[in-house]
Amino acid sequence: MNRHFRFQNFTTHTDPEMLPEYSAICHSTDPPRDDSEDDVEEALCLDSSGGFESAVEADDWMRQHMRETGHRHFRRSFEDYAELLPSDQLEPAHAERVTA
């Protein structure tokens, strides 16, 4: 019994049919509520913006959260969808050589 395995290259591309998502999570710490208790740890806020279709909307949410709470430290995230395409299905790149 003979087996033949064929290797095929795949290339990762952003899936053009799916929109990326932008979000932010507040990573600022709230000071202890009672200043007399020195051993109380500061708590992370961890409020989340949810998903937006643009980075501008996520930035606007961070600005609004800062106005309301005074928090200035955020973790921003960008998520997109990927697809794998066989390399032989890709069109070759077309580049013009500059000879100036």
mmCIF file of all heavy atoms in Angstrom, residues 2-38:
data_model
loop_
_atom_site.group_PDB
_atom_site.id
_atom_site.type_symbol
_atom_site.label_atom_id
_atom_site.label_comp_id
_atom_site.label_asym_id
_atom_site.label_seq_id
_atom_site.Cartn_x
_atom_site.Cartn_y
_atom_site.Cartn_z
ATOM 1 N N ASN A 2 0.751 2.066 -0.988
ATOM 2 C CA ASN A 2 1.528 3.304 -1.098
ATOM 3 C C ASN A 2 0.644 4.493 -0.764
ATOM 4 O O ASN A 2 -0.492 4.566 -1.199
ATOM 5 C CB ASN A 2 2.074 3.470 -2.518
ATOM 6 C CG ASN A 2 3.146 2.451 -2.819
ATOM 7 O OD1 ASN A 2 3.806 1.970 -1.920
ATOM 8 N ND2 ASN A 2 3.306 2.122 -4.091
ATOM 9 N N ARG A 3 1.213 5.418 -0.028
ATOM 10 C CA ARG A 3 0.502 6.649 0.296
ATOM 11 C C ARG A 3 1.319 7.823 -0.190
ATOM 12 O O ARG A 3 2.526 7.865 -0.040
ATOM 13 C CB ARG A 3 0.290 6.784 1.798
ATOM 14 C CG ARG A 3 -0.658 5.784 2.347
ATOM 15 C CD ARG A 3 -0.894 6.045 3.802
ATOM 16 N NE ARG A 3 -1.730 4.988 4.337
ATOM 17 C CZ ARG A 3 -2.210 4.968 5.544
ATOM 18 N NH1 ARG A 3 -1.933 5.943 6.359
ATOM 19 N NH2 ARG A 3 -2.955 3.985 5.949
ATOM 20 N N HIS A 4 0.618 8.788 -0.740
ATOM 21 C CA HIS A 4 1.277 10.006 -1.204
ATOM 22 C C HIS A 4 0.652 11.181 -0.468
ATOM 23 O O HIS A 4 -0.554 11.377 -0.494
ATOM 24 C CB HIS A 4 1.095 10.194 -2.716
ATOM 25 C CG HIS A 4 1.735 9.112 -3.507
ATOM 26 N ND1 HIS A 4 3.087 9.102 -3.768
ATOM 27 C CD2 HIS A 4 1.230 8.002 -4.084
ATOM 28 C CE1 HIS A 4 3.379 8.031 -4.482
ATOM 29 N NE2 HIS A 4 2.255 7.342 -4.686
ATOM 30 N N PHE A 5 1.498 11.925 0.199
ATOM 31 C CA PHE A 5 1.035 13.115 0.889
ATOM 32 C C PHE A 5 1.499 14.329 0.108
ATOM 33 O O PHE A 5 2.651 14.421 -0.281
ATOM 34 C CB PHE A 5 1.589 13.176 2.318
ATOM 35 C CG PHE A 5 1.073 12.066 3.190
ATOM 36 C CD1 PHE A 5 1.816 10.922 3.405
ATOM 37 C CD2 PHE A 5 -0.169 12.172 3.788
ATOM 38 C CE1 PHE A 5 1.337 9.909 4.204
ATOM 39 C CE2 PHE A 5 -0.657 11.162 4.584
ATOM 40 C CZ PHE A 5 0.095 10.015 4.794
ATOM 41 N N ARG A 6 0.604 15.242 -0.095
ATOM 42 C CA ARG A 6 0.940 16.470 -0.807
ATOM 43 C C ARG A 6 0.835 17.638 0.160
ATOM 44 O O ARG A 6 -0.177 17.818 0.823
ATOM 45 C CB ARG A 6 -0.011 16.681 -1.980
ATOM 46 C CG ARG A 6 0.160 15.625 -3.024
ATOM 47 C CD ARG A 6 -0.645 15.968 -4.254
ATOM 48 N NE ARG A 6 -0.434 14.912 -5.230
ATOM 49 C CZ ARG A 6 -1.402 14.272 -5.835
ATOM 50 N NH1 ARG A 6 -2.649 14.598 -5.606
ATOM 51 N NH2 ARG A 6 -1.131 13.326 -6.693
ATOM 52 N N PHE A 7 1.888 18.407 0.192
ATOM 53 C CA PHE A 7 1.909 19.597 1.029
ATOM 54 C C PHE A 7 1.368 20.771 0.239
ATOM 55 O O PHE A 7 1.704 20.956 -0.920
ATOM 56 C CB PHE A 7 3.333 19.904 1.497
ATOM 57 C CG PHE A 7 3.422 21.145 2.320
ATOM 58 C CD1 PHE A 7 3.059 21.134 3.649
ATOM 59 C CD2 PHE A 7 3.851 22.336 1.759
ATOM 60 C CE1 PHE A 7 3.120 22.284 4.414
ATOM 61 C CE2 PHE A 7 3.917 23.492 2.519
ATOM 62 C CZ PHE A 7 3.561 23.458 3.838
ATOM 63 N N GLN A 8 0.512 21.541 0.869
ATOM 64 C CA GLN A 8 -0.026 22.711 0.199
ATOM 65 C C GLN A 8 0.144 23.910 1.131
ATOM 66 O O GLN A 8 -0.208 23.847 2.312
ATOM 67 C CB GLN A 8 -1.505 22.520 -0.132
ATOM 68 C CG GLN A 8 -2.087 23.648 -0.933
ATOM 69 C CD GLN A 8 -3.525 23.351 -1.374
ATOM 70 O OE1 GLN A 8 -4.150 22.423 -0.882
ATOM 71 N NE2 GLN A 8 -4.025 24.142 -2.289
ATOM 72 N N ASN A 9 0.709 24.980 0.603
ATOM 73 C CA ASN A 9 0.888 26.203 1.388
ATOM 74 C C ASN A 9 -0.433 26.946 1.529
ATOM 75 O O ASN A 9 -1.201 27.027 0.577
ATOM 76 C CB ASN A 9 1.899 27.133 0.721
ATOM 77 C CG ASN A 9 3.317 26.708 0.964
ATOM 78 O OD1 ASN A 9 3.632 26.182 2.018
ATOM 79 N ND2 ASN A 9 4.175 26.941 -0.006
ATOM 80 N N PHE A 10 -0.663 27.469 2.712
ATOM 81 C CA PHE A 10 -1.823 28.312 2.965
ATOM 82 C C PHE A 10 -1.320 29.641 3.502
ATOM 83 O O PHE A 10 -0.331 29.704 4.218
ATOM 84 C CB PHE A 10 -2.773 27.668 3.987
ATOM 85 C CG PHE A 10 -3.592 26.559 3.416
ATOM 86 C CD1 PHE A 10 -3.097 25.271 3.327
ATOM 87 C CD2 PHE A 10 -4.870 26.812 2.959
ATOM 88 C CE1 PHE A 10 -3.854 24.254 2.796
ATOM 89 C CE2 PHE A 10 -5.644 25.792 2.429
ATOM 90 C CZ PHE A 10 -5.136 24.513 2.341
ATOM 91 N N THR A 11 -2.009 30.697 3.157
ATOM 92 C CA THR A 11 -1.664 32.035 3.616
ATOM 93 C C THR A 11 -2.848 32.620 4.376
ATOM 94 O O THR A 11 -3.986 32.463 3.958
ATOM 95 C CB THR A 11 -1.314 32.940 2.416
ATOM 96 O OG1 THR A 11 -0.279 32.310 1.668
ATOM 97 C CG2 THR A 11 -0.839 34.293 2.877
ATOM 98 N N THR A 12 -2.551 33.280 5.478
ATOM 99 C CA THR A 12 -3.594 33.879 6.304
ATOM 100 C C THR A 12 -3.945 35.266 5.773
ATOM 101 O O THR A 12 -3.071 36.080 5.496
ATOM 102 C CB THR A 12 -3.111 34.018 7.756
ATOM 103 O OG1 THR A 12 -2.692 32.744 8.214
ATOM 104 C CG2 THR A 12 -4.213 34.534 8.650
ATOM 105 N N HIS A 13 -5.237 35.537 5.633
ATOM 106 C CA HIS A 13 -5.734 36.830 5.191
ATOM 107 C C HIS A 13 -6.893 37.257 6.080
ATOM 108 O O HIS A 13 -7.606 36.430 6.628
ATOM 109 C CB HIS A 13 -6.250 36.756 3.738
ATOM 110 C CG HIS A 13 -5.166 36.634 2.740
ATOM 111 N ND1 HIS A 13 -4.511 37.712 2.227
ATOM 112 C CD2 HIS A 13 -4.601 35.548 2.168
ATOM 113 C CE1 HIS A 13 -3.595 37.301 1.375
ATOM 114 N NE2 HIS A 13 -3.627 35.996 1.329
ATOM 115 N N THR A 14 -7.075 38.566 6.190
ATOM 116 C CA THR A 14 -8.245 39.078 6.891
ATOM 117 C C THR A 14 -9.484 38.735 6.080
ATOM 118 O O THR A 14 -9.512 38.930 4.871
ATOM 119 C CB THR A 14 -8.142 40.605 7.067
ATOM 120 O OG1 THR A 14 -6.968 40.881 7.827
ATOM 121 C CG2 THR A 14 -9.353 41.162 7.784
ATOM 122 N N ASP A 15 -10.493 38.205 6.752
ATOM 123 C CA ASP A 15 -11.732 37.827 6.071
ATOM 124 C C ASP A 15 -12.487 39.095 5.686
ATOM 125 O O ASP A 15 -12.935 39.851 6.553
ATOM 126 C CB ASP A 15 -12.586 36.965 7.002
ATOM 127 C CG ASP A 15 -13.782 36.348 6.311
ATOM 128 O OD1 ASP A 15 -14.167 36.833 5.229
ATOM 129 O OD2 ASP A 15 -14.341 35.384 6.853
ATOM 130 N N PRO A 16 -12.638 39.361 4.385
ATOM 131 C CA PRO A 16 -13.277 40.610 3.961
ATOM 132 C C PRO A 16 -14.782 40.648 4.223
ATOM 133 O O PRO A 16 -15.396 41.711 4.153
ATOM 134 C CB PRO A 16 -12.984 40.663 2.459
ATOM 135 C CG PRO A 16 -12.817 39.244 2.053
ATOM 136 C CD PRO A 16 -12.225 38.543 3.246
ATOM 137 N N GLU A 17 -15.381 39.523 4.540
ATOM 138 C CA GLU A 17 -16.827 39.480 4.764
ATOM 139 C C GLU A 17 -17.217 39.751 6.215
ATOM 140 O O GLU A 17 -18.399 39.854 6.530
ATOM 141 C CB GLU A 17 -17.373 38.129 4.315
ATOM 142 C CG GLU A 17 -17.194 37.895 2.823
ATOM 143 C CD GLU A 17 -17.742 36.554 2.372
ATOM 144 O OE1 GLU A 17 -18.469 35.915 3.157
ATOM 145 O OE2 GLU A 17 -17.446 36.160 1.237
ATOM 146 N N MET A 18 -16.232 39.858 7.095
ATOM 147 C CA MET A 18 -16.513 40.068 8.517
ATOM 148 C C MET A 18 -15.886 41.386 8.959
ATOM 149 O O MET A 18 -14.759 41.694 8.601
ATOM 150 C CB MET A 18 -15.927 38.924 9.350
ATOM 151 C CG MET A 18 -16.446 37.550 8.970
ATOM 152 S SD MET A 18 -18.200 37.335 9.258
ATOM 153 C CE MET A 18 -18.265 37.363 11.021
ATOM 154 N N LEU A 19 -16.618 42.173 9.739
ATOM 155 C CA LEU A 19 -16.110 43.441 10.235
ATOM 156 C C LEU A 19 -15.236 43.215 11.470
ATOM 157 O O LEU A 19 -15.549 42.371 12.311
ATOM 158 C CB LEU A 19 -17.259 44.368 10.611
ATOM 159 C CG LEU A 19 -18.107 44.888 9.462
ATOM 160 C CD1 LEU A 19 -19.295 45.680 10.019
ATOM 161 C CD2 LEU A 19 -17.276 45.763 8.541
ATOM 162 N N PRO A 20 -14.150 43.981 11.596
ATOM 163 C CA PRO A 20 -13.348 43.895 12.823
ATOM 164 C C PRO A 20 -14.106 44.521 13.990
ATOM 165 O O PRO A 20 -15.097 45.224 13.805
ATOM 166 C CB PRO A 20 -12.094 44.706 12.484
ATOM 167 C CG PRO A 20 -12.515 45.630 11.411
ATOM 168 C CD PRO A 20 -13.601 44.934 10.650
ATOM 169 N N GLU A 21 -13.619 44.268 15.195
ATOM 170 C CA GLU A 21 -14.271 44.786 16.398
ATOM 171 C C GLU A 21 -13.223 45.459 17.276
ATOM 172 O O GLU A 21 -12.134 44.937 17.484
ATOM 173 C CB GLU A 21 -14.928 43.644 17.158
ATOM 174 C CG GLU A 21 -15.722 44.093 18.357
ATOM 175 C CD GLU A 21 -16.441 42.917 19.002
ATOM 176 O OE1 GLU A 21 -17.462 42.484 18.456
ATOM 177 O OE2 GLU A 21 -15.953 42.447 20.049
ATOM 178 N N TYR A 22 -13.571 46.635 17.789
ATOM 179 C CA TYR A 22 -12.701 47.414 18.659
ATOM 180 C C TYR A 22 -13.349 47.498 20.032
ATOM 181 O O TYR A 22 -14.563 47.670 20.144
ATOM 182 C CB TYR A 22 -12.511 48.826 18.105
ATOM 183 C CG TYR A 22 -11.919 48.846 16.719
ATOM 184 C CD1 TYR A 22 -12.722 48.693 15.593
ATOM 185 C CD2 TYR A 22 -10.552 49.003 16.539
ATOM 186 C CE1 TYR A 22 -12.177 48.698 14.316
ATOM 187 C CE2 TYR A 22 -10.004 49.012 15.267
ATOM 188 C CZ TYR A 22 -10.823 48.865 14.161
ATOM 189 O OH TYR A 22 -10.283 48.863 12.907
ATOM 190 N N SER A 23 -12.546 47.385 21.077
ATOM 191 C CA SER A 23 -13.092 47.471 22.427
ATOM 192 C C SER A 23 -12.037 48.013 23.384
ATOM 193 O O SER A 23 -10.853 48.098 23.046
ATOM 194 C CB SER A 23 -13.588 46.098 22.904
ATOM 195 O OG SER A 23 -12.506 45.197 22.971
ATOM 196 N N ALA A 24 -12.476 48.358 24.585
ATOM 197 C CA ALA A 24 -11.576 48.856 25.622
ATOM 198 C C ALA A 24 -12.066 48.368 26.979
ATOM 199 O O ALA A 24 -13.261 48.208 27.199
ATOM 200 C CB ALA A 24 -11.522 50.378 25.601
ATOM 201 N N ILE A 25 -11.108 48.128 27.868
ATOM 202 C CA ILE A 25 -11.403 47.744 29.250
ATOM 203 C C ILE A 25 -10.603 48.674 30.151
ATOM 204 O O ILE A 25 -9.404 48.880 29.944
ATOM 205 C CB ILE A 25 -11.017 46.278 29.533
ATOM 206 C CG1 ILE A 25 -11.828 45.343 28.651
ATOM 207 C CG2 ILE A 25 -11.217 45.941 31.007
ATOM 208 C CD1 ILE A 25 -11.414 43.897 28.753
ATOM 209 N N CYS A 26 -11.258 49.234 31.136
ATOM 210 C CA CYS A 26 -10.590 50.129 32.076
ATOM 211 C C CYS A 26 -9.717 49.307 33.027
ATOM 212 O O CYS A 26 -10.196 48.366 33.659
ATOM 213 C CB CYS A 26 -11.610 50.940 32.865
ATOM 214 S SG CYS A 26 -10.843 52.035 34.073
ATOM 215 N N HIS A 27 -8.444 49.662 33.110
ATOM 216 C CA HIS A 27 -7.520 48.989 34.025
ATOM 217 C C HIS A 27 -6.980 49.960 35.071
ATOM 218 O O HIS A 27 -5.869 49.798 35.565
ATOM 219 C CB HIS A 27 -6.379 48.332 33.245
ATOM 220 C CG HIS A 27 -6.740 46.987 32.747
ATOM 221 N ND1 HIS A 27 -6.335 45.833 33.358
ATOM 222 C CD2 HIS A 27 -7.513 46.598 31.709
ATOM 223 C CE1 HIS A 27 -6.821 44.791 32.711
ATOM 224 N NE2 HIS A 27 -7.546 45.227 31.703
ATOM 225 N N SER A 28 -7.766 50.974 35.385
ATOM 226 C CA SER A 28 -7.384 51.911 36.437
ATOM 227 C C SER A 28 -7.786 51.338 37.778
ATOM 228 O O SER A 28 -8.715 50.538 37.878
ATOM 229 C CB SER A 28 -8.085 53.251 36.221
ATOM 230 O OG SER A 28 -7.640 53.862 35.041
ATOM 231 N N THR A 29 -7.082 51.771 38.792
ATOM 232 C CA THR A 29 -7.414 51.307 40.138
ATOM 233 C C THR A 29 -8.172 52.388 40.874
ATOM 234 O O THR A 29 -7.897 53.575 40.742
ATOM 235 C CB THR A 29 -6.139 50.950 40.927
ATOM 236 O OG1 THR A 29 -5.249 52.064 40.891
ATOM 237 C CG2 THR A 29 -5.460 49.734 40.332
ATOM 238 N N ASP A 30 -9.157 51.951 41.631
ATOM 239 C CA ASP A 30 -9.912 52.863 42.488
ATOM 240 C C ASP A 30 -9.215 52.900 43.840
ATOM 241 O O ASP A 30 -8.866 51.850 44.389
ATOM 242 C CB ASP A 30 -11.345 52.373 42.669
ATOM 243 C CG ASP A 30 -12.154 52.523 41.400
ATOM 244 O OD1 ASP A 30 -11.918 53.493 40.664
ATOM 245 O OD2 ASP A 30 -13.019 51.668 41.145
ATOM 246 N N PRO A 31 -9.017 54.083 44.395
ATOM 247 C CA PRO A 31 -8.399 54.148 45.732
ATOM 248 C C PRO A 31 -9.328 53.542 46.780
ATOM 249 O O PRO A 31 -10.539 53.461 46.564
ATOM 250 C CB PRO A 31 -8.192 55.646 45.964
ATOM 251 C CG PRO A 31 -9.144 56.312 45.045
ATOM 252 C CD PRO A 31 -9.361 55.388 43.886
ATOM 253 N N PRO A 32 -8.779 53.097 47.902
ATOM 254 C CA PRO A 32 -9.643 52.577 48.978
ATOM 255 C C PRO A 32 -10.648 53.630 49.410
ATOM 256 O O PRO A 32 -10.356 54.821 49.407
ATOM 257 C CB PRO A 32 -8.666 52.259 50.109
ATOM 258 C CG PRO A 32 -7.322 52.205 49.469
ATOM 259 C CD PRO A 32 -7.378 53.060 48.256
ATOM 260 N N ARG A 33 -11.856 53.209 49.762
ATOM 261 C CA ARG A 33 -12.914 54.148 50.138
ATOM 262 C C ARG A 33 -12.642 54.809 51.481
ATOM 263 O O ARG A 33 -12.989 55.945 51.707
ATOM 264 C CB ARG A 33 -14.258 53.425 50.162
ATOM 265 C CG ARG A 33 -14.665 52.984 48.794
ATOM 266 C CD ARG A 33 -15.957 52.245 48.830
ATOM 267 N NE ARG A 33 -16.178 51.677 47.507
ATOM 268 C CZ ARG A 33 -17.348 51.582 46.944
ATOM 269 N NH1 ARG A 33 -18.417 51.970 47.571
ATOM 270 N NH2 ARG A 33 -17.468 51.077 45.749
ATOM 271 N N ASP A 34 -12.023 54.074 52.385
ATOM 272 C CA ASP A 34 -11.745 54.612 53.712
ATOM 273 C C ASP A 34 -10.238 54.769 53.856
ATOM 274 O O ASP A 34 -9.495 53.800 53.866
ATOM 275 C CB ASP A 34 -12.299 53.664 54.787
ATOM 276 C CG ASP A 34 -12.191 54.259 56.174
ATOM 277 O OD1 ASP A 34 -11.672 55.387 56.298
ATOM 278 O OD2 ASP A 34 -12.622 53.587 57.127
ATOM 279 N N ASP A 35 -9.763 56.005 53.982
ATOM 280 C CA ASP A 35 -8.325 56.266 54.056
ATOM 281 C C ASP A 35 -7.697 55.752 55.346
ATOM 282 O O ASP A 35 -6.485 55.613 55.422
ATOM 283 C CB ASP A 35 -8.044 57.769 53.925
ATOM 284 C CG ASP A 35 -8.374 58.274 52.525
ATOM 285 O OD1 ASP A 35 -8.345 57.454 51.586
ATOM 286 O OD2 ASP A 35 -8.673 59.481 52.389
ATOM 287 N N SER A 36 -8.502 55.458 56.353
ATOM 288 C CA SER A 36 -7.946 54.996 57.623
ATOM 289 C C SER A 36 -7.471 53.545 57.540
ATOM 290 O O SER A 36 -6.684 53.110 58.361
ATOM 291 C CB SER A 36 -8.975 55.139 58.741
ATOM 292 O OG SER A 36 -10.082 54.287 58.483
ATOM 293 N N GLU A 37 -7.937 52.795 56.547
ATOM 294 C CA GLU A 37 -7.534 51.401 56.410
ATOM 295 C C GLU A 37 -6.395 51.318 55.401
ATOM 296 O O GLU A 37 -6.595 51.360 54.201
ATOM 297 C CB GLU A 37 -8.709 50.546 55.936
ATOM 298 C CG GLU A 37 -9.855 50.510 56.923
ATOM 299 C CD GLU A 37 -11.002 49.648 56.418
ATOM 300 O OE1 GLU A 37 -10.743 48.729 55.632
ATOM 301 O OE2 GLU A 37 -12.134 49.918 56.801
ATOM 302 N N ASP A 38 -5.155 51.214 55.897
ATOM 303 C CA ASP A 38 -3.983 51.189 55.027
ATOM 304 C C ASP A 38 -3.801 49.850 54.327
ATOM 305 O O ASP A 38 -3.146 49.774 53.292
ATOM 306 C CB ASP A 38 -2.721 51.508 55.833
ATOM 307 C CG ASP A 38 -2.745 52.950 56.324
ATOM 308 O OD1 ASP A 38 -3.405 53.775 55.672
ATOM 309 O OD2 ASP A 38 -2.100 53.232 57.350
#
